[in-house]
């Protein structure tokens, strides 16, 4: 082992868990300590202001600017009591992660001194000097102005000495430049259209809520080992590294005991998450060594998205306090499961009913089937878009690999629900029986509840699986903003529910009773969306063939998958629901293609450097040793004997020459290919070139590096190996 590598491995190996001293209170007492939640609003705001603000939060009432000053005053008072000195508009640009710009509360008091100032104006809106955030050309440099505006539906919170205000980020011309603005619009669209449909069943419902419960997967790596791997440091993944002799074959890590150093990290993270009002609940090991998962209790979709963004930055911070680095990249290690983010999504009502869950009466179950079938229709019509919504250069490594999810979006319902849908599809109107003046039906639906509670009926290969009272969208990447997938899904379901209402109303206008009108449309939809239902193995070759026949989107090239955002059906969907317009969609795609190109470009550069600075020199040094040995053999033995004795070494000398030769040649070729690609004007075409020509070269070069890693003397190899990155903790 090289000296450096030996030092970092030894050090990592002997690290002790950091002692975490839990707060003296119980979680129920410190939950939300750093959040300006209702309890604090009540305490710090005049009662009239409190009432107005909660009306904005609960019922989406318009924000009355006249209360802004008093809200800001209350927030400031609380924050200063908590030792806060700064505030920031916290927003979600089209990169990964969040952005913030901190300002101190201080202002001149006009008498030569300072005072703490935070006005309603500063709370509500700010100009963000964000000309360097990706915007796809929505703002050229002349009008590089965008502003951030307070989102009152997500509470402000404190991180360190800063009051963080969740905001949307919008161009002065009105286009959204972030994830939050379209997310809020998509939530509004889906909850409004769902409410209209719920009213067929229960006119007393006042409000529908979209829910999201994310599950976050991640890897932990010791920070010393991490620092000794420039590829991890700069790209978030290993661009080289031969598989360890043992990795996940034994599946002994999954649900095994959590290692003590990791357990300390988790405990610390959970305490801090709870203090920030994130209701974390579940933690466990994942399939791969050093891979873990964290999940909260589900929440309203917008809040859940904010909380996921917040937890990712919290994880990064807490990991460092424990001598770890957290890897959120979707595929940090080749040959080992990647990390995803399962988005558990559902709709519920203000009176506590989950619309994706079965009920007790036939009518409740018809409502349940209605929402399931409409969701399936939405996923069916926009399966390509949903795939685009989770696509990125980094998540591309996961898709289509032999792990969830496959590169084709389909939906798994489980045998029970499938049976119910099949039964409904085959039923005729004579199956409907009149119960007094109310139409009801004989659908055998009442037995659903017990059957669905049995969750064993799971298909881990399905990207969009029904799981009892929700759908689990399993394709989003671990590093991604959940909003991207949620915007597409909410909007698709919104559009579909609007269509459903139209179809049902048309039948009712023609004199059809309500219930049979609903059943008739549902039955028609069940037939139409059948191609999206698939209960088999999503990884199989046969499924690929079958999916093509069914007309599902089977594209695997990331830049081409993004085209789904600009298809006429997609644009119509986003425009008709008021979520985004064509200009915004076009701008966003420019950003997506550009980001794709940049990611591959960086990987190519890093690989080139690593190869020429680490791999090739070490390989040649070792080769020189072998050559030296072969020469010395000749001075000890006669020519023939020396030849025989050195045969193996000479074979290795040749192998090294071949591999290093290949590598050098292809690193040069990769540089040339980049030069060609960089000259391409359009972002889309450039991304395609990077995908088609440069990305495959990374893999080809890597193959030879990994071979060298196996040949070269371990004592000389400078970079920590997979077995160390994955098993030392
Ligand atoms: P599993 O790993 O079996 O899929 P977990 O219990 O780890 O399930 O995570 C499930 C996630 O789904 C949690 O975040 C949970 O809060 C969330 N969830 C449960 N019910 C719903 C629902 N109706 N809507 C949205 N999310 C839900
Ligand atoms: Mg799950």
């Amino acid at each position: 082992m090289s000296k450096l590598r030996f030092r970092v491995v030894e050090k990592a190996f002997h690290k002790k868990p950091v002692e975490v001293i839990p707060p003296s209170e119980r979680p129920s007492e410190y939950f939300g300590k750093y959040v300006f939640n209702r309890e604090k609003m009540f305490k710090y705001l005049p009662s009239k202001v409190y009432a107005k603000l909660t009306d904005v939060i609960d019922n989406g009432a318009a924000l009355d600017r006249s209360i802004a000053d008093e809200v800001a005053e209350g927030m400031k008072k609380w924050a200063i009591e908590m030792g806060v000195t700064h505030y920031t508009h916290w927003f979600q640009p089209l990169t990964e992660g969040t952005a913030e710009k901190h300002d101190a509360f201080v202002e001149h008091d006009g008498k030569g001194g300072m005072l703490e100032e935070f006005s309603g104006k500063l709370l509500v809106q700010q100009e963000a000097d964000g000309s360097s955030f990706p915007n796809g050309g929505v703002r050229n440099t002349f009008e590089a102005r965008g502003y951030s505006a307070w989102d009152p539906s997500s509470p402000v919170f404190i991180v360190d000495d800063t009051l963080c205000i969740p905001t949307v980020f919008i161009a002065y011309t009105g286009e959204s430049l972030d994830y939050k603005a379209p997310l809020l619009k998509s939530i509004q669209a889906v909850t409004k259209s769902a409410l209209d449909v719920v009213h067929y069943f229960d006119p007393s419902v006042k409000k529908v809520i979209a829910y999201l419960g994310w599950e976050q997967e991640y890897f932990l790596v010791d920070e010393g080992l991490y620092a000794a791997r420039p590829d991890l440091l700069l790209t978030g993944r290993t661009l080289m590294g031969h598989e360890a002799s043992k990795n996940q074959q034994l599946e002994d890590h999954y649900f095994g005991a959590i290692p003590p150093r990791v357990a300390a990290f988790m405990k610390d993270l959970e305490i801090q998450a709870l203090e920030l009002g994130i209701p974390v609940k579940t933690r466990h090991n994942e399939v791969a060594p050093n891979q873990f998962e964290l999940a909260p209790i589900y929440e309203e979709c917008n809040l859940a998205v904010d909380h996921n963004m917040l937890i990712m930055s919290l994880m990064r911070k807490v990991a460092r306090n424990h001598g770890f680095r957290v890897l959120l990249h979707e595929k940090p290690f080749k040959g080992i499961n990647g990390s995803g983010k399962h988005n558990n999504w559902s709709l519920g009502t203000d009176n506590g009913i989950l619309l994706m869950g079965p009920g007790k009466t036939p009518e409740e179950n018809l409502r349940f089937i209605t929402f399931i079938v409409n969701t399936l229709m939405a996923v069916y019509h926009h399966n390509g878009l949903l795939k685009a919504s989770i696509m990125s250069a980094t998540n591309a490594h996961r898709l289509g690999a032999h792990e969830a999810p496959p590169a084709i979006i389909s939906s798994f319902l489980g045998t029970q629900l499938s049976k119910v849908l099949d039964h409904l599809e085959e039923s005729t109107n004579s199956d409907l029986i009149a119960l007094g003046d109310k139409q009801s039906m004989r659908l055998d639906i009442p037995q659903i509840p017990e059957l669905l509670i049995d969750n064993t009926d799971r298909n881990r290969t399905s990207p969009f699986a029904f799981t009892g009272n929700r759908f689990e969208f399993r394709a989003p990447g671990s590093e991604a903003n959940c909003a991207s997938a949620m915007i597409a899904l909410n909007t698709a379901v919104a559009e579909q529910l609007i269509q459903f209402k139209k179809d049902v109303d048309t039948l009712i206008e023609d004199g059809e009773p309500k219930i049979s009108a609903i059943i008739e449309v549902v039955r028609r939809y069940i037939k139409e969306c059948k191609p999206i239902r698939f209960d088999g193995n999503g990884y199989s070759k046969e499924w690929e063939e079958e999916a093509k026949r069914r007309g599902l989107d089977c594209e695997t090239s990331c830049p081409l998958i993004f085209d789904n955002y600009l298809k006429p059906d997609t644009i119509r969907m986003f425009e008709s629901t008021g979520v985004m317009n064509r200009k915004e969609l076009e701008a966003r795609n420019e950003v997506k293609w550009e980001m794709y190109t940049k990611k591959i470009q960086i990987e190519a550069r890093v690989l080139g450097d690593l190869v020429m600075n680490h791999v090739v020199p070490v390989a040649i040094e070792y080769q020189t040793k072998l050559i030296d040995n072969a020469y010395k053999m000749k001075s000890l033995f006669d020519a023939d004997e020396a030849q025989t004795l050195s045969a193996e070494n000479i074979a290795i000398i040749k192998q090294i020459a071949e591999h290093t030769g290949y590598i050098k040649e292809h690193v040069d070729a990769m540089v040339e290919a980049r030069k060609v690609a960089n000259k391409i004007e359009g972002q889309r075409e450039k991304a395609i070139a990077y995908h088609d020509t440069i990305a495959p070269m990374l893999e080809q070069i890597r193959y030879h590096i990994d071979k060298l890693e196996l040949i070269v003397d371990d004592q000389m190899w400078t970079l920590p190996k997979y077995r160390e990155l994955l098993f030392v903790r």
Side-chain angles (χ1 to χ4, degrees):
M1 216 186 280
S2 75
K3 262 196 209 127
L4 165 81
R5 192 167 133 237
F6 179 76
R7 262 205 321 269
V8 293
V9 172
E10 271 294 283
K11 206 167 154 210
F13 203 74
H14 290 107
K15 273 187 194 152
K16 297 255 175 316
V18 174
E19 201 194 345
V20 180
I21 302 160
S24 55
E25 309 111 342
R26 279 173 298 165
S28 60
E29 290 163 318
Y30 64 78
F31 180 73
K33 179 178 172 186
Y34 294 117
V35 183
F36 196 66
N37 53 20
R38 281 184 198 236
E39 190 193 325
K40 278 146 212 154
M41 286 179 200
F42 189 76
K43 185 169 165 203
Y44 288 89
L45 302 180
S47 56
K48 240 180 53 211
V49 174
Y50 173 81
K52 277 192 180 169
L53 184 58
T54 46
D55 191 35
V56 172
I57 296 168
D58 293 339
N59 308 317
L63 181 72
D64 175 356
R65 287 271 174 138
S66 69
I67 66 166
D69 274 329
E70 285 167 291
V71 175
E73 189 56 35
M75 284 177 181
K76 186 184 79 180
K77 186 156 187 284
W78 168 67
I80 288 174
E81 279 174 23
M82 299 289 289
V84 165
T85 52
H86 287 65
Y87 64 92
T88 180
H89 274 199
W90 183 80
F91 60 99
Q92 301 169 20
L94 297 173
T95 50
E96 287 117 17
T98 51
E100 42 200 79
K101 172 179 146 238
H102 296 218
D103 284 303
F105 282 134
V106 288
E107 268 311 325
H108 290 296
D109 67 357
K111 294 176 238 147
M114 285 287 198
L115 52 77
E116 277 89 24
E117 155 123 344
F118 183 53
S119 64
K121 203 170 133 253
L122 293 174
L123 165 67
V124 171
Q125 188 173 318
Q126 278 193 30
E127 179 151 346
D129 175 28
S131 46
S132 54
F133 289 112
N135 62 69
V138 164
R139 298 173 300 156
N140 60 41
T141 19
F142 289 111
E143 38 149 329
R145 297 203 308 164
Y147 66 91
S148 52
W150 179 34
D151 163 24
S153 66
S154 181
V156 303
F157 55 90
I158 293 171
V159 173
D160 301 327
D161 60 359
T162 303
L163 182 70
C164 302
I165 301 155
T167 54
V168 292
F169 182 37
I170 304 174
Y172 264 95
T173 38
E175 291 86 9
S176 49
L177 299 170
D178 69 346
Y179 282 110
K180 195 190 253 288
L183 176 69
L184 287 170
K185 289 180 188 164
S186 76
I187 291 172
Q188 197 182 21
V190 74
T191 54
K192 161 89 178 56
S193 56
L195 184 65
D196 289 343
V197 171
V198 169
H199 282 163
Y200 283 135
F201 304 95
D202 181 357
S204 74
V205 173
K206 288 196 188 61
K207 190 178 148 183
V208 169
I209 304 133
Y211 290 118
L212 164 63
W214 42 262
E215 299 162 59
Q216 177 73 52
E217 293 177 334
Y218 61 96
F219 280 86
L220 285 176
V221 174
D222 178 84
E223 67 181 355
L225 298 169
Y226 173 90
R229 286 288 306 223
D231 47 353
L232 268 185
L233 193 80
L234 298 173
T235 71
R237 76 174 178 116
T238 54
L239 298 173
M240 59 180 74
H242 200 277
E243 274 179 47
S245 320
K246 172 190 169 187
N247 47 50
Q248 62 190 49
Q249 315 86 328
L250 303 178
E251 304 213 336
D252 48 355
H253 184 66
Y254 197 41
F255 286 106
I258 296 170
R261 233 181 109 196
V262 177
F265 156 78
M266 286 180 171
K267 191 167 154 189
D268 202 357
L269 175 66
E270 283 163 3
I271 292 167
Q272 298 196 41
L274 289 168
E275 286 177 338
L276 279 167
I278 308 171
V280 288
K281 189 172 169 73
T282 312
R283 52 156 109 139
H284 59 76
N285 290 348
E286 260 305 325
V287 178
N290 271 4
Q291 191 188 27
F292 308 94
E293 184 188 295
L294 169 81
I297 300 169
Y298 66 93
E299 300 177 280
E300 188 281 320
C301 186
N302 174 43
L303 184 61
V305 168
D306 281 1
H307 279 169
N308 183 251
M309 298 310 287
L310 195 50
I311 202 114
M312 287 195 287
S313 58
L314 197 58
M315 284 169 108
R316 291 195 173 98
K317 192 173 89 179
V318 176
R320 294 187 73 163
N321 293 341
H322 289 259
F324 285 124
R325 289 303 182 111
V326 61
L327 307 182
L328 291 171
H329 192 289
E330 282 79 5
K331 193 76 179 175
F333 303 102
K334 191 181 170 181
I336 288 189
N337 268 23
S339 301
K341 183 136 57 193
H342 301 169
N343 284 10
N344 293 270
W345 173 91
S346 69
L347 298 170
T349 64
D350 58 333
N351 53 0
I353 289 164
L354 286 174
L355 296 171
M356 308 289 168
K360 293 188 187 67
T361 63
E363 212 172 3
E364 282 174 359
N365 281 330
L366 181 59
R367 180 197 62 207
F368 158 62
I369 299 293
T370 296
F371 278 92
I372 296 292
V373 170
N374 275 292
T375 306
L376 289 177
M377 279 288 273
V379 174
Y380 173 49
H381 285 308
H382 295 289
N383 69 88
L385 172 69
L386 284 171
K387 183 162 69 182
S389 77
I390 54 95
M391 226 7 183
S392 66
T394 50
N395 204 22
H397 293 286
R398 256 176 97 229
L399 286 171
H402 221 66
E403 60 186 79
I408 301 158
I409 301 291
S410 65
S411 185
F412 167 83
L413 297 180
T415 37
Q416 304 308 334
L417 186 52
S418 296
K419 262 193 205 148
V420 172
L421 295 196
D422 292 345
H423 181 77
L424 193 51
E425 182 188 346
E426 286 150 21
S427 68
T428 61
N429 278 357
S430 65
D431 285 327
L432 303 172
I433 47 163
L435 283 181
D437 57 349
K438 211 169 144 203
Q439 284 278 348
S440 191
M441 59 268 152
R442 205 172 54 212
L443 299 172
D444 305 336
I445 307 184
Q447 316 140 357
I448 302 172
E450 310 116 74
L451 295 168
L452 286 182
I453 287 165
D454 179 13
N455 253 342
T456 50
D457 195 7
R458 288 259 179 129
N459 183 338
R460 297 272 168 200
T461 73
S462 178
F464 199 84
F466 176 72
T467 50
N469 59 11
R470 62 190 188 267
F471 279 96
E472 184 173 347
F473 191 13
R474 305 166 56 88
S478 48
E479 198 171 19
N481 187 324
C482 293
S484 179
M486 293 294 95
I487 292 165
L489 181 59
N490 286 335
T491 312
V493 174
E495 180 198 43
Q496 178 55 48
L497 288 169
I498 292 167
Q499 185 59 44
F500 177 75
K501 183 152 165 44
K502 265 192 211 144
D503 291 345
V504 172
D505 286 351
T506 307
L507 289 178
I508 293 175
E509 276 157 28
D510 291 348
E512 189 90 22
K514 183 177 76 182
I515 296 289
S516 42
I518 293 172
I519 294 181
E520 198 170 317
V521 177
V522 164
R523 197 188 287 137
R524 201 196 307 153
Y525 285 4
I526 292 175
K527 284 200 182 79
E528 194 183 331
C529 70
K530 240 184 185 166
I532 200 70
R533 279 161 60 190
F534 179 64
D535 287 3
N537 177 4
Y539 304 143
S540 65
K541 197 80 202 137
E542 298 81 65
W543 168 231
E544 244 182 83
E545 296 302 318
E546 170 67 18
K548 261 185 220 140
R549 274 195 296 278
R550 293 190 190 184
L552 299 177
D553 190 309
C554 296
E555 182 58 61
T556 56
S557 156
C558 183
L560 294 180
I561 290 172
F562 291 150
D563 287 347
N564 277 298
Y565 271 103
L566 297 176
K567 294 209 164 127
D569 276 355
T570 311
I571 296 176
R572 200 176 312 124
M573 175 192 98
F574 278 118
E575 291 196 331
S576 70
T577 47
V579 174
M580 280 189 274
N581 61 31
R582 175 192 292 271
K583 189 173 167 196
E584 286 169 301
L585 290 164
E586 282 170 352
R588 277 160 190 263
N589 258 27
E590 291 291 300
V591 174
K592 284 180 198 295
W593 285 314
E594 193 182 341
M595 294 272 280
Y596 180 87
T597 297
K598 281 186 176 158
K599 291 252 161 155
I600 309 288
Q601 198 174 47
I602 292 170
E603 289 189 348
R605 285 191 192 137
V606 171
L607 188 74
D609 286 356
L610 265 183
V611 156
M612 301 321 278
N613 298 334
H614 285 255
V615 178
V616 170
V618 168
I620 288 177
E621 196 184 333
Y622 180 55
Q623 190 190 39
T624 310
K625 266 190 166 178
L626 297 178
I627 294 170
D628 197 37
N629 176 281
Y631 267 111
K632 286 178 180 151
M633 284 288 187
K634 279 192 197 155
S635 60
L636 275 182
F637 303 101
D638 66 52
D640 278 355
E641 210 176 350
Q643 185 73 25
T644 322
L645 290 170
S646 297
E648 295 227 339
N649 277 356
I650 288 168
I652 297 175
I653 291 167
K654 278 190 189 147
Q655 279 176 26
I656 293 178
E658 278 162 22
H659 290 306
T660 50
Y662 183 97
I663 289 171
K664 278 191 191 156
E665 198 179 300
H666 281 75
V667 166
D668 290 344
M670 193 163 69
V671 172
E672 287 312 310
R674 256 158 46 212
K675 280 187 190 154
V676 174
N678 291 344
K679 288 208 184 83
I680 299 174
E681 280 291 330
Q683 292 297 355
R684 179 177 179 274
E685 280 61 38
K686 198 188 283 187
I688 292 172
Y690 266 87
H691 173 274
D692 293 353
T693 60
I694 294 143
M697 287 177 160
L698 288 166
E699 280 311 301
Q700 289 153 5
I701 295 169
R702 176 192 184 131
Y703 172 84
H704 293 274
I705 300 174
D706 292 354
K707 287 281 175 230
L708 283 175
E709 186 186 316
L710 281 184
I711 300 172
V712 172
D713 183 358
D714 185 60
Q715 287 187 48
M716 301 171 74
W717 199 258
T718 52
L719 301 164
K721 295 185 171 180
Y722 268 26
R723 61 169 183 260
E724 292 146 3
L725 293 167
L726 286 165
F727 291 95
V728 178
R729 57 175 91 97

